[in-house]
Amino acid sequence: MRPDRANGRRSRPTVAGEKLVDAIEFWKKHPWWRLLACIVALLAVLGSTNQLFGWPPSFSIPKALETLGQSGQSPSAAPSATVPEPPSPSATPSATPTITQPAPEVLHVASAGRACPNPNPSDFKLPDVEVCVTMWCQSLTYERDGRRQEDQTQIKLKASVFNKTTQPLDISITNASAMRLLVSQKDLPGSWRPPEKTVAAGDSAVLVEWSGTGSKQNYWALPPNVFADSYPTPAGVVTGFYTQWDPPILESGEGYYRPRAEPFDPFYADGNLVFQLPVGSVVTGLAVVDKTDPTKIIAVTPFSEWKDREVPPYTF
C-alpha cells in the first residue's frame, strides 16, 4: 500500500508543491510576465554572443537596444551611435611577419623612338677558349714494388673545354700536351718524376708566364700522365690513377666534356687528367696552351674557381 493512500485518503501536498501550484496559477492569470521573461532571456543570450561573432567587448546588443529605445522615447535628442573601439595592442594576437619580396625590374616602354646605343666591342668580348674543372682530388702514389712515394703526389681532375674561336683547337695530350697544370716549386723541373710511360713519351715541364693573379709571374706547366700509365703492385695497390682523355680536335663552337662515370667504374672514367707533381708544389690552375708553342697560354681556370669541387678520388 502506498503511503499517500493510507486510510483511503490522499496525503496533504508539501510546501514546495503548494508553491509550484501557486506559480502555475500566477502564470495563467498574468500572461504579460511570460512575455517579459522571454525578452529578458533573449537579451541575456544576445549579450553573450560577442565572442561567438567576433564583436568587440565594448559592443553590447542590450545596450544598443536600450539606446534605440531611448531615442524612440525622446525624438528631440540626437541619436547616439556606439562605435566599436579597436582592440588594444595587447589583445591583438601576434602574427608571423610577412616578408615583402622586392619588385622585379621591368622595362617601361614610354615611346617608340628609343634607339639602341652603339656597342663597345670590348664590353661583349667572350674568352676565346673556356676551360673548367668540375671535380678534382689529390691522391697518393706508389713505386712499382708497392712502396709509397713520399716525394710525389697526384692531382686527378675532370675538365671541360669549349672553343669559341673561329679556328679549330687541338686539346690532345700527345707530345706536346695542350693541357697543363700551372705549378710553382723551387726544385722543378728536376723534382718532377712521372711514371715510365709518361717519361718515354718525351714531354716535359715548360716554363710559362701568366698574369692572371695580378702581376706577371713564371710557372711550370706540367703535362699530364699519358693514358693508362698506372700499374699494380705486390702491396695490393696500384701506382696511381691514370689519364683518360681522348678529345677530337674542337671545331669552332664545339666543346669537350665527359659526364661523371659510375663510382668505382674505371672503364668509363673518360675526360679525366692525372698530373704527377712533387710534394710541396703550389697549384695555380689548369691551362690550355698552344701545342705548337707550349709556352703560349690560351686559357686558364685558376684554382680559386675549382678549389671547392674536391671529391673522393674513386668517384670519377
Side-chain angles (χ1 to χ4, degrees):
M1 177 182 296
R2 294 179 56 182
D4 57 351
R5 294 296 181 94
N7 300 324
R9 294 180 300 177
R10 293 185 180 180
S11 62
R12 295 183 60 185
T14 62
V15 177
E18 292 178 355
K19 290 184 178 181
L20 179 60
V21 172
D22 294 340
I24 294 174
E25 293 296 329
F26 179 81
W27 282 107
K28 291 181 179 180
K29 294 180 180 180
H30 306 282
W32 57 273
W33 276 103
R34 284 180 287 175
L35 177 61
L36 180 59
C38 292
I39 294 175
V40 172
L42 177 62
L43 292 178
V45 172
L46 292 177
S48 64
T49 55
N50 287 24
Q51 295 182 352
L52 180 62
F53 291 97
W55 294 330
S58 59
F59 181 72
S60 173
I61 292 181
K63 292 182 179 180
L65 295 177
E66 181 181 357
T67 303
L68 293 176
Q70 292 177 357
S71 62
Q73 294 176 1
S74 54
S76 59
S80 60
T82 303
V83 179
E85 298 178 0
S88 60
S90 60
T92 304
S94 59
T96 303
T98 302
I99 300 176
T100 304
Q101 297 292 340
E105 296 184 1
V106 296
L107 172 64
H108 294 283
V109 183
S111 65
R114 177 172 174 170
C116 294
N118 292 328
N120 184 357
S122 62
D123 294 338
F124 303 95
K125 181 176 175 55
L126 296 175
D128 293 333
V129 175
E130 283 189 351
V131 56
C132 178
V133 173
T134 60
M135 57 189 71
W136 71 281
C137 68
Q138 181 178 351
S139 178
L140 302 175
T141 59
Y142 297 86
E143 302 287 355
R144 292 291 296 268
D145 59 3
R147 291 181 296 111
R148 178 178 168 182
Q149 293 181 335
E150 299 294 339
D151 64 333
Q152 300 290 303
T153 187
Q154 284 186 348
I155 296 294
K156 177 186 177 185
L157 56 85
K158 183 177 287 291
S160 65
V161 183
F162 192 76
N163 180 21
K164 297 182 179 179
T165 68
T166 58
Q167 302 297 324
L169 178 65
D170 189 352
I171 58 171
S172 63
I173 59 173
T174 54
N175 195 7
S177 175
M179 307 301 298
R180 303 265 173 168
L181 195 67
L182 300 185
V183 176
S184 298
Q185 218 269 357
K186 62 180 181 179
D187 296 330
L188 280 170
S191 57
W192 179 53
R193 294 197 302 113
E196 56 190 66
K197 285 185 180 180
T198 303
V199 173
D203 210 340
S204 60
V206 178
L207 192 62
V208 298
E209 188 178 64
W210 184 56
S211 59
T213 57
S215 59
K216 289 185 178 181
Q217 297 185 26
N218 291 328
Y219 302 94
W220 287 103
L222 303 182
N225 296 350
V226 298
F227 174 73
D229 198 4
S230 180
Y231 312 92
T233 69
V237 296
V238 293
T239 56
F241 290 99
Y242 58 87
T243 294
Q244 290 182 280
W245 184 267
D246 58 347
I249 294 178
L250 300 181
E251 299 295 336
S252 176
E254 290 184 342
Y256 173 80
Y257 181 70
R258 293 293 183 265
R260 183 175 182 175
E262 291 295 327
F264 307 102
D265 191 351
F267 299 102
Y268 295 97
D270 293 339
N272 294 337
L273 294 169
V274 177
F275 295 88
Q276 189 107 344
L277 65 159
V279 172
S281 301
V282 177
V283 178
T284 302
L286 177 67
V288 179
V289 301
D290 189 343
K291 285 181 64 72
T292 61
D293 182 7
T295 64
K296 181 181 178 181
I297 293 180
I298 297 176
V300 175
T301 172
F303 179 73
S304 59
E305 296 181 3
W306 50 282
K307 65 177 182 178
D308 296 329
R309 301 172 183 174
E310 187 175 7
V311 297
Y314 288 98
T315 58
F316 71 100

